[in-house]
Amino acid sequence: MNKNLIFILLFAVAGLTGCEPSSTGFSLPAGNVVNGEKVFLTMQCLECHTMEGFDQPESAVERATASVALGGEVKRIKNYAELVTSIINPSHQIAEGYELDVIQYEGQSIMPSYNDALTVTQLIDLVTFLESRYELEPYEPTLYSPYR
Ligand code: HEC
């Protein structure tokens, strides 16, 4: 076998087994935003998260643990595969822009697992609700001064 062909095969295999989150072939049925908000509140996600339009409970403010912002203006909206992953496997990819020792412990996210607490319908509604709270930041073109 020639060398190039071996490289091409290696890349193909790497591509197939890569663990980048991807939505290809992953499709959730439509969820319900109003029900998702209820799940968000009953599961007490605000203990560790902030979201515009919601107050954090006293207990969270007192403990002053992580306050990871959900929703709001972002440069790139997380797709629902990423949102589902951050809920059912929080340590897969740790949120960016926070002090690591605040949001993780021994390499694991401090976010608890809800996998035995949520029904699939609740998870879908929750993700639909979260998705609806993100807004894309308006694109700002870089201004270059014209050549002289
Ligand atoms: C005990 C604290 C805690 C609770 C309760 C909690 N989370 Fe988290 N969550 C975190 C921390 C810390 C992170 C950042 C580290 C990480 O990415 O796992 C996070 C990350 C996330 C992210 C990814 C955010 C990003 O920008 O990457 C989502 C989405 C999320 N949580 C949703 C939820 C939802 C929905 C609930 C309620 C069902 C919840 N969390 C409850 C601590 C918590």
Side-chain angles (χ1 to χ4, degrees):
M1 209 178 331
N2 90 23
K3 255 198 189 143
N4 285 340
L5 186 59
I6 294 176
F7 273 118
I8 291 167
L9 285 177
L10 279 179
F11 272 113
V13 172
L16 287 175
T17 57
C19 56
E20 278 296 299
S22 148
S23 327
T24 317
F26 179 71
S27 169
L28 293 178
N32 180 301
V33 175
V34 177
N35 290 346
E37 180 177 332
K38 284 185 199 138
V39 176
F40 183 73
L41 294 174
T42 39
M43 290 293 156
Q44 299 173 339
C45 310
L46 289 167
E47 281 293 328
C48 302
H49 289 286
T50 56
M51 186 182 274
E52 227 183 274
F54 294 90
D55 288 328
Q56 268 199 309
E58 279 294 308
S59 48
V61 180
E62 275 164 23
R63 276 194 303 138
T65 47
S67 278
V68 176
L70 297 180
E73 284 199 348
V74 287
K75 294 221 162 55
R76 188 184 71 86
I77 294 194
K78 286 180 186 296
N79 60 41
Y80 64 65
E82 291 169 308
L83 285 171
V84 170
T85 308
S86 17
I87 296 169
I88 66 175
N89 185 9
S91 301
H92 175 71
Q93 206 181 17
I94 300 284
E96 285 167 21
Y98 299 92
E99 296 260 349
L100 277 186
D101 55 353
V102 177
I103 62 172
Q104 66 172 29
Y105 179 71
E106 294 183 343
Q108 299 291 304
S109 170
I110 63 155
M111 180 158 152
S113 167
Y114 293 92
N115 297 0
D116 293 330
L118 293 174
T119 65
V120 175
T121 304
Q122 284 176 318
L123 178 68
I124 292 167
D125 291 345
L126 179 60
V127 167
T128 308
F129 164 71
L130 291 178
E131 243 187 340
S132 75
R133 307 291 304 194
Y134 283 94
E135 236 177 285
L136 209 56
E137 257 177 41
Y139 171 73
E140 281 191 34
T142 316
L143 294 174
Y144 296 101
S145 53
Y147 289 102
R148 287 159 206 257

